[in-house]
Amino acid sequence: MEETDRVIFTKEEFSERVRVSPVVESDLKQIITDRMEQCGLYFRVFSRVKTADSMARKFEQKEYGGDRFLQDLVGVRVNLYFDDDVEICRHIMEQTFEVLEWSTSERSDDEFKPTKLNGVFRLPEYLKDEISTDTWEMCIDDTFEIQIKTMFFEGWHEIEHDMRYKGEELWRNYQGFSRYLNSILATLELCDKSMVTLFEDLGHTLYKAGRWSDMIKSHFRVKMSDAPLYPEVAQLLDDDTEKGDKLAKKLYKTKRVVLIDQLLKRSRRVPINVNTIIALLNDGVFHDSRLTAIFRKHDVYNDGREESLAESRHYELRPLTRQTVFQMRTQVDGSRLRGRTEDDGDGVSSDEIFDACVEQIYDWIVKKYGQLFKNMPQKPSTYHADILAYHVAVNLDRAGGRMNMHVRHMGPEVGGRIWYSEAALSVDEAGKVWLCVSNGYAQARKDDRPVHEGAGIFFSYPGYYKTIVDTVGIFNGLPCSNRRRIIRSEDIQELEGVLEDADRNFPIVIIISHEDEDGMMDEDWLGQFRVSDFTRTVCRYAHVLTCYEEVGRQLLARLRDNPAFTSSEGSSFSAADFPRLYIFWPGGDVDDFGPEDVENCSFGRHLEARSDARTYDIVRGGQALYHRVVTDLRDWNVSAKMWDGFKLEILTEIPT
């Protein structure tokens, strides 16, 4: 590295500019813990965030700058009890995060020293957002490190690191003591391997003795409950041994990593016991119909599942902060009323459209809150009621063409979280019907950090909005449709105007593909990104259009000449090869994806947290691009300035 490339920062600079939210460390630790527990391994997890002092020292000792970045701002250490779990843990981490590289301690055949496996992984995007943006200007990479080692060597590692790695001068000219230390390390390595050999030999002995439950516990060495083996399964294993079918031998010969893979594939965490272990291996490997019948009768994966009891917690009362999970301001055009298609809404009066929307909104309120408020009118009307944390307020003015409503209730899953939905329906002077919707929740913030979790986890629109879109019909630059729409040459001029429309609140996704030999769109380049599925997923808050390459070139040629899509740096559109996927955001920004983006895309899915399911997963290729684009569309929706809602300050206030 050239000396001019090297950078050094002071402890004070790191302290001021590098700020890592506690949620980064805690979430990484929890994700790893959840996945390891799902597989039943014996382990311990420790974590740390580098201090400003530690970063400053490391920048002094090593050369950072140019293409070399600090990669272990956050570090996680996984300590394992069995030596052969190191590779299994590596496999689990590769299925959990996006891995950049692995490294291991090197040693010669006649040398002993602690063996550890280090992996560098990309931070999940939602956790990267919890780190100050200045961090990435300090030669720090958006990665974290996982160290994997066994408990025997972990017990020695800290001493070895401080007294040998950092204290080489202690051993200089004293080779006898160094050899003595190596003999201790050799003993530790022997202990690691001896523990595995011990349980393997014990498992074989138990197999020979026909003690099936004990054999499974010794051979697979995972944490499991004490559920007894089903008598029918025990009898089947006994009979097969006598008949020579050797089902028990198949079970004993199955490697531990095969069981781990079966546990990893389950979206729901299953209770681990001798019965579920055999059931998992039978489903994935053996496919024995007799075992299948037995386990189906016992409902094996739910047998023994324990309900988790929520811990009692005390909260300091804080002001509630609103978090939007969906919003929209759009025209309701009535194109779907009375069996009409989306192209023949003409002739439907604004009164008909207004009344249809009123019916859908009020019907949703009655179905959701009617059991709580027994005196609620069944027909649309002005109404207001409160019961503790439940609130309904409707203000209906049919003559004035206006309806406002606000409802809220306490969320059943998270204490202190209040969900709300607000809608404003109106007819303007031109006779157009407009619908504004705000859906979200309010809860007390635990600290001064902004809330980032809403879009990715809780994004959802209320049922009445879905029904209005599907049965009444909306227009947002274009008519809303859940079907494939193909752009033709004659549509280009109109579409150009739609892309420029300042009132449009729907992003527009345009997918341009080659034509195959049968004259159809060749969308194989998208991999698992299924356009029809994608359209149905996002159709109520984004438009999805497709076209052939020839039409796509005509469209982009017009847009390149359009000042609305040309900045001081030039056009937003290059003469890139097709196929391409473009997102035209309201306001003029454009995103562009090609085949290379599909191939190289990876996406960490932050799933809704449940006690028996994964909270984080990673996908690649077309499936990853699918999730990334959907997430981008949802993030834009919740962050845009469409309609702020009523911002009620008085609990019993009726929106006017």
Side-chain angles (χ1 to χ4, degrees):
M1 178 185 295
E2 295 289 339
E3 186 63 30
T4 55
D5 293 334
R6 183 178 182 181
V7 296
I8 296 179
F9 299 100
T10 65
K11 178 177 66 174
E12 289 73 22
E13 287 176 303
F14 282 119
S15 179
E16 179 182 354
R17 301 185 64 186
V18 179
R19 297 185 304 278
V20 182
S21 166
V23 74
V24 178
E25 180 184 358
S26 63
D27 264 28
L28 287 176
K29 187 176 179 180
Q30 189 61 52
I31 290 168
I32 293 171
T33 298
D34 288 345
R35 194 59 59 89
M36 297 289 282
E37 287 180 345
Q38 180 182 351
C39 298
L41 297 185
Y42 288 90
F43 70 99
R44 292 288 185 271
V45 177
F46 306 90
S47 59
R48 63 100 182 103
V49 176
K50 270 195 178 299
T51 64
D53 189 55
S54 176
M55 285 186 281
R57 284 200 307 271
K58 196 161 186 179
F59 270 67
E60 290 176 357
Q61 296 167 357
K62 297 188 177 182
E63 296 182 345
Y64 291 107
D67 295 330
R68 184 171 183 181
F69 295 83
L70 179 76
Q71 294 186 305
D72 61 342
L73 174 63
V74 183
V76 182
R77 187 171 73 249
V78 182
N79 295 339
L80 303 165
Y81 287 81
F82 295 107
D83 182 69
D84 56 345
D85 279 347
V86 172
E87 284 302 316
I88 290 176
C89 182
R90 171 176 178 160
H91 176 67
I92 294 171
M93 294 302 101
E94 289 175 344
Q95 304 304 309
T96 305
F97 301 107
E98 178 185 353
V99 61
L100 300 184
E101 64 177 353
W102 287 103
S103 62
T104 186
S105 52
E106 298 180 358
R107 59 184 179 184
S108 61
D109 292 340
D110 58 352
E111 179 185 15
F112 296 94
K113 64 181 180 180
T115 302
K116 63 180 178 179
L117 185 63
N118 288 4
V120 177
F121 301 83
R122 187 73 63 195
L123 276 168
E125 283 294 328
Y126 84 98
L127 291 181
K128 181 181 175 182
D129 290 342
E130 299 287 346
I131 300 175
S132 59
T133 55
D134 284 351
T135 301
W136 319 126
E137 300 174 2
M138 308 282 287
C139 277
I140 297 175
D141 209 352
D142 58 344
T143 56
F144 69 100
E145 183 183 67
I146 298 178
Q147 290 186 354
I148 304 173
K149 58 173 81 80
T150 62
M151 292 293 286
F152 278 125
F153 272 136
E154 169 57 24
W156 169 254
H157 172 67
E158 185 173 353
I159 300 297
E160 193 272 344
H161 183 266
D162 289 346
M163 303 292 286
R164 195 180 207 188
Y165 174 70
K166 289 184 176 181
E168 293 181 2
E169 69 281 356
L170 292 178
W171 311 91
R172 189 175 294 118
N173 300 321
Y174 297 101
Q175 294 302 313
F177 289 102
S178 184
R179 285 194 298 273
Y180 193 2
L181 176 60
N182 279 338
S183 68
I184 296 174
L185 295 175
T187 303
L188 292 176
E189 182 174 336
L190 181 62
C191 289
D192 262 337
K193 297 187 181 303
S194 296
M195 288 291 288
V196 174
T197 302
L198 168 67
F199 281 100
E200 286 180 345
D201 291 346
L202 176 60
H204 184 259
T205 301
L206 294 168
Y207 161 69
K208 289 294 187 181
R211 294 171 55 180
W212 311 128
S213 291
D214 295 332
M215 179 268 287
I216 290 171
K217 293 176 182 178
S218 182
H219 176 61
F220 289 106
R221 288 177 278 123
V222 293
K223 290 184 179 180
M224 63 180 74
S225 66
D226 293 328
L229 186 64
Y230 295 147
E232 307 98 302
V233 176
Q235 187 63 52
L236 181 59
L237 293 174
D238 289 339
D239 293 344
D240 265 15
T241 301
E242 295 174 2
K243 296 176 182 177
D245 291 342
K246 300 182 179 178
L247 183 58
K249 186 173 184 179
K250 291 180 182 178
L251 187 61
Y252 172 69
K253 289 293 185 180
T254 301
K255 296 184 180 300
R256 296 177 69 230
V257 70
V258 176
L259 172 62
I260 300 301
D261 271 334
Q262 295 304 313
L263 288 164
L264 277 176
K265 290 177 182 177
R266 307 291 296 190
S267 59
R268 284 170 56 91
R269 182 183 298 172
V270 300
I272 302 177
N273 54 54
V274 290
N275 298 304
T276 54
I277 287 175
I278 299 176
L280 285 165
L281 295 177
N282 187 59
D283 289 345
V285 183
F286 305 151
H287 309 297
D288 188 293
S289 59
R290 299 166 298 175
L291 286 174
T292 301
I294 293 171
F295 292 133
R296 183 180 295 119
K297 180 183 71 173
H298 284 278
D299 191 15
V300 63
Y301 295 127
N302 288 310
D303 186 12
R305 184 182 296 278
E306 296 181 359
E307 296 291 337
S308 60
L309 299 177
E311 295 179 355
S312 299
R313 298 178 181 177
H314 298 281
Y315 295 96
E316 176 186 352
L317 294 180
R318 296 170 177 260
L320 300 182
T321 300
R322 286 167 60 124
Q323 173 69 30
T324 302
V325 300
F326 178 79
Q327 60 177 326
M328 185 53 61
R329 181 182 183 275
T330 186
Q331 181 189 349
V332 187
D333 64 354
S335 57
R336 294 178 179 269
L337 280 177
R338 295 191 304 212
R340 292 175 170 82
T341 68
E342 59 193 38
D343 298 321
D344 61 0
D346 295 341
V348 181
S349 70
S350 59
D351 288 344
E352 288 180 286
I353 298 173
F354 179 84
D355 288 343
C357 292
V358 168
E359 290 288 341
Q360 297 297 346
I361 295 172
Y362 196 84
D363 182 62
W364 178 84
I365 295 173
V366 170
K367 289 179 179 177
K368 192 172 185 70
Y369 296 93
Q371 293 299 314
L372 296 170
F373 304 104
K374 302 298 185 181
N375 64 339
M376 180 184 294
Q378 298 300 297
K379 297 294 184 181
S381 60
T382 296
Y383 177 75
H384 166 248
D386 285 286
I387 299 178
L388 297 177
Y390 302 99
H391 172 79
V392 171
V394 180
N395 188 6
L396 176 61
D397 179 8
R398 288 187 183 275
R402 186 176 182 185
M403 177 190 189
N404 292 335
M405 79 84 173
H406 171 91
V407 296
R408 62 177 176 266
H409 62 271
M410 184 69 71
E413 293 89 8
V414 179
R417 178 174 292 164
I418 297 176
W419 289 91
Y420 68 86
S421 185
E422 298 176 337
L425 186 67
S426 62
V427 183
D428 66 13
E429 294 180 356
K432 294 182 178 180
V433 180
W434 292 91
L435 173 66
C436 295
V437 176
S438 179
N439 217 41
Y441 65 88
Q443 68 182 28
R445 279 171 34 182
K446 297 180 180 179
D447 49 42
D448 295 331
R449 292 181 296 108
V451 179
H452 293 295
E453 62 180 346
I457 303 178
F458 299 120
F459 179 90
S460 63
Y461 38 74
Y464 61 81
Y465 174 77
K466 175 182 182 297
T467 307
I468 289 173
V469 173
D470 294 347
T471 64
V472 183
I474 67 171
F475 182 90
N476 202 294
L478 292 169
C480 185
S481 176
N482 63 0
R483 303 195 305 268
R484 175 185 288 271
R485 289 186 283 192
I486 301 176
I487 307 170
R488 310 294 182 185
S489 295
E490 57 268 24
D491 302 322
I492 291 178
Q493 184 174 356
E494 178 186 2
L495 178 57
E496 185 179 8
V498 172
L499 295 175
E500 293 183 67
D501 186 357
D503 292 328
R504 170 172 61 91
N505 284 320
F506 270 42
I508 296 179
V509 180
I510 298 181
I511 303 172
I512 305 173
S513 300
H514 296 306
E515 182 178 332
D516 64 20
E517 59 185 13
D518 297 321
M520 305 294 289
M521 288 185 187
D522 183 0
E523 294 175 346
D524 289 346
W525 67 282
L526 289 168
Q528 291 179 289
F529 188 112
R530 306 302 182 195
V531 177
S532 297
D533 294 341
F534 173 71
T535 302
R536 286 190 291 269
T537 298
V538 305
C539 66
R540 298 182 182 93
Y541 49 91
H543 295 304
V544 181
L545 308 175
T546 61
C547 67
Y548 293 98
E549 179 179 345
E550 180 181 354
V551 176
R553 291 190 183 278
Q554 296 174 25
L555 172 63
L556 297 187
R558 287 185 65 101
L559 296 179
R560 275 195 290 270
D561 297 332
N562 189 325
F565 296 97
T566 304
S567 65
S568 58
E569 289 80 18
S571 171
S572 301
F573 308 101
S574 63
D577 292 335
F578 291 99
R580 311 297 290 181
L581 183 152
Y582 293 96
I583 305 176
F584 293 84
W585 301 100
D589 291 337
V590 181
D591 286 349
D592 173 14
F593 303 92
E596 68 285 356
D597 299 302
V598 177
E599 181 179 353
N600 298 324
C601 187
S602 63
F603 184 81
R605 296 182 292 179
H606 186 196
L607 309 176
E608 184 175 352
R610 299 190 301 271
S611 61
D612 59 351
R614 297 179 181 180
T615 60
Y616 181 79
D617 205 352
I618 191 165
V619 290
R620 295 177 175 82
Q623 187 180 7
L625 182 66
Y626 175 99
H627 289 290
R628 183 174 296 280
V629 173
V630 170
T631 299
D632 288 348
L633 293 172
R634 292 176 172 180
D635 284 346
W636 185 89
N637 178 277
V638 301
S639 62
K641 298 297 182 183
M642 300 183 197
W643 182 60
D644 289 334
F646 298 113
K647 299 294 185 184
L648 300 182
E649 299 293 340
I650 304 173
L651 291 180
T652 58
E653 183 178 356
I654 300 177
T656 59

